[in-house]
Amino acid sequence: MEATMNVATPPSRSLSVHVSAETESADNSTAEDPMSPTGRVFEEMGVYIIVVMGLSMPVNLPVFCAGIETELLTRFPRFRSIQVMDGSKDGKPRWVQTVVNVDDHIIVPRLDLAAVDSDPEKAVEDYVASLSLLPMDRRRPLWEFHFLDFRTSEAASTTVLRLHHSIGDGMSIMTLLMASSRSTADPARLPAMPPPPKRTGAIYQRCPQPPRLWSSDYLAWLWSYVVLAWHTLVDIVLLAATVLFLRDPGTMFTLVPDGGQSRRRKRLVHQSLRLDDVKLIKTVLNCTMNDVLVGVTSAALSRYYFRKSCNINTKRICLRSILPVNTRPVSSRQTYVTKVETGNRISNIICPFYIALHNDPLEYVRTAKRSMHRKKSSLEVMFAQMTVDFLVKYFGPKALTMHYLNYGSNIKVILTVDDEQFPDCHQLLNDFAESVKLVRDAASLKTLTTRSRMTE
């Protein structure tokens, strides 16, 4: 039984948001801000980001609201801005600052208590799924907090942030939330952030200075640019073919059109994976954690596909996935503790993705490693954004989206699925956990075999 809510329609109370000459001129640096091309695509499609946060104690609503007022509204102009069309011939959208009443963005729904007591996890899941169908009032800034004040197996209470994707991408929103948090013991202390990564440049970055002329290192350096140019040319041709005629084979992962008669409900489900398991696989195969996760995804979707389809033809199926890439010059969140850059600064790479059955589970990760290494030797990310924006705008998102989030000793795998096409989405989620276990066991066996040979 689904929980019932009192937010099925937009609130009818009067709005505090208005745009005036005084408001627009309050801060000339941010009062009028043109929307980025990526932001315009998200604005036209109505794409939202939903962040589900489990709290270790019941929410203190007055304190939370005061923090929103102090941190978000004061420091980040996008949270006090609305989207309006300018007066030009093209009618491009822009950001205009306005007056915000925090109470208009705070929602405490009334849920079916029997449904909550029976299965609190499902109550949260159903409520979050319902947000994918509820419109937001464009007369006020497009963000809102939802507070679910009941205990689940993982949290004492749950807070859900929903905001329009044109406000920012996942990296900026995650950084914003962390930078806005404060310690209860020392509210003046800035939050601890992850250490800087080893790589701070673009994924395609090469050594800027050539080695000694005509040495072996120089020839290798020169060859790397030849490979970069060739891979870029091939990828640009494939991008053009994708727009013009290239299509993936039809599978259960392709969104089934409904004639555009109604919005499709999206369900968010998640499961924890052990970070140590991923690190073990990474060490054994000498690859990156991203390689491992892409390989695990391929293994999980392959298990699900062949089980559901009962397909006896185990020939490899090649699909294409869109992988977001952060285009900020420095990828460390530490840089943005005091000044978080909102907005969308992401591009994408279109990566081949394989549905296949392998006798050796490690082959999924090896294949992912080869694909990702190939993409790192290309400038595709500099050209892909326009193509991806076109595909998403005119063909819509697919039926399945995956996110991985590292938190403490766990990695959360988060699936956003079309509710009609994946009624058994929890089985798909279990395939991820089972795939990690199979790949980890194969990696452990490989390690034991290697050690045994070394001692003989």
Side-chain angles (χ1 to χ4, degrees), residues 216-428:
S216 59
D217 290 339
Y218 176 83
L219 295 177
W221 174 83
L222 186 63
W223 178 249
S224 71
Y225 278 92
V226 174
V227 172
L228 180 69
W230 171 250
H231 287 171
T232 301
L233 176 62
V234 171
D235 288 338
I236 291 176
V237 172
L238 290 176
L239 285 173
T242 297
V243 174
L244 296 176
F245 60 86
L246 196 60
R247 298 291 182 268
D248 287 345
T251 66
M252 62 186 65
F253 304 117
T254 303
L255 186 66
V256 177
D258 60 357
Q261 299 299 320
S262 61
R263 297 183 64 180
R264 306 288 288 263
R265 177 160 133 154
K266 302 294 185 180
R267 181 171 295 273
L268 277 71
V269 294
H270 62 90
Q271 183 158 317
S272 295
L273 309 175
R274 293 182 67 246
L275 178 62
D276 288 342
D277 291 343
V278 176
K279 286 184 175 180
L280 172 64
I281 301 169
K282 166 184 174 292
T283 301
V284 171
L285 295 183
N286 188 29
C287 60
T288 68
M289 291 183 63
N290 283 342
D291 295 339
V292 175
L293 296 177
V294 172
V296 166
T297 301
S298 178
L301 296 188
S302 297
R303 285 173 55 88
Y304 182 83
Y305 173 81
F306 286 106
R307 182 179 67 249
K308 291 284 293 183
S309 66
C310 299
N311 192 344
I312 60 175
N313 183 6
T314 58
K315 183 179 180 180
R316 187 173 71 169
I317 302 172
C318 182
L319 305 176
R320 285 166 299 170
S321 61
I322 297 176
L323 302 182
V325 178
N326 179 26
T327 59
R328 292 172 176 83
V330 179
S331 56
S332 171
R333 296 191 182 104
Q334 190 70 43
T335 307
Y336 305 111
V337 172
T338 56
K339 183 181 179 182
V340 177
E341 296 182 7
T342 51
N344 289 277
R345 297 188 62 184
I346 57 174
S347 186
N348 300 273
I349 56 177
I350 300 180
C351 189
F353 195 85
Y354 300 101
I355 303 296
L357 290 178
H358 296 297
N359 293 327
D360 181 5
L362 295 179
E363 189 59 32
Y364 291 105
V365 181
R366 294 191 187 103
T367 302
K369 178 182 177 180
R370 289 192 295 267
S371 296
M372 297 304 293
H373 180 74
R374 157 70 175 77
K375 289 297 179 178
K376 292 175 184 177
S377 298
S378 171
L379 298 178
E380 176 189 4
V381 68
M382 299 179 63
F383 301 93
Q385 189 58 54
M386 184 181 300
T387 301
V388 172
D389 287 349
F390 173 85
L391 294 174
V392 172
K393 180 177 179 179
Y394 291 100
F395 295 98
K398 298 304 180 183
L400 178 64
T401 305
M402 288 151 284
H403 291 86
Y404 287 97
L405 177 63
N406 175 213
Y407 187 80
S409 60
N410 294 319
I411 293 180
K412 283 283 189 182
V413 54
I414 307 159
L415 306 182
T416 305
V417 302
D418 185 274
D419 218 3
E420 295 182 8
Q421 285 190 231
F422 295 93
D424 57 348
C425 57
H426 290 91
Q427 293 183 19
L428 174 58

Side-chain angles (χ1 to χ4, degrees), residues 156-228:
S157 62
T158 303
T159 298
V160 182
L161 167 62
R162 181 171 69 143
L163 73 163
H164 202 278
H165 210 313
S166 60
I167 294 177
D169 55 46
M171 176 66 74
S172 65
I173 300 304
M174 291 290 295
T175 306
L176 182 152
L177 292 175
M178 288 189 288
S180 299
S181 63
R182 294 293 182 269
S183 169
T184 55
D186 184 7
R189 187 178 64 189
L190 292 175
M193 302 292 273
K198 294 180 180 180
R199 176 182 58 80
T200 58
I203 63 172
Y204 50 80
Q205 184 170 336
R206 292 291 185 273
C207 177
Q209 297 296 329
R212 187 168 55 88
L213 188 64
W214 302 122
S215 64
S216 59
D217 290 339
Y218 176 83
L219 295 177
W221 174 83
L222 186 63
W223 178 249
S224 71
Y225 278 92
V226 174
V227 172
L228 180 69

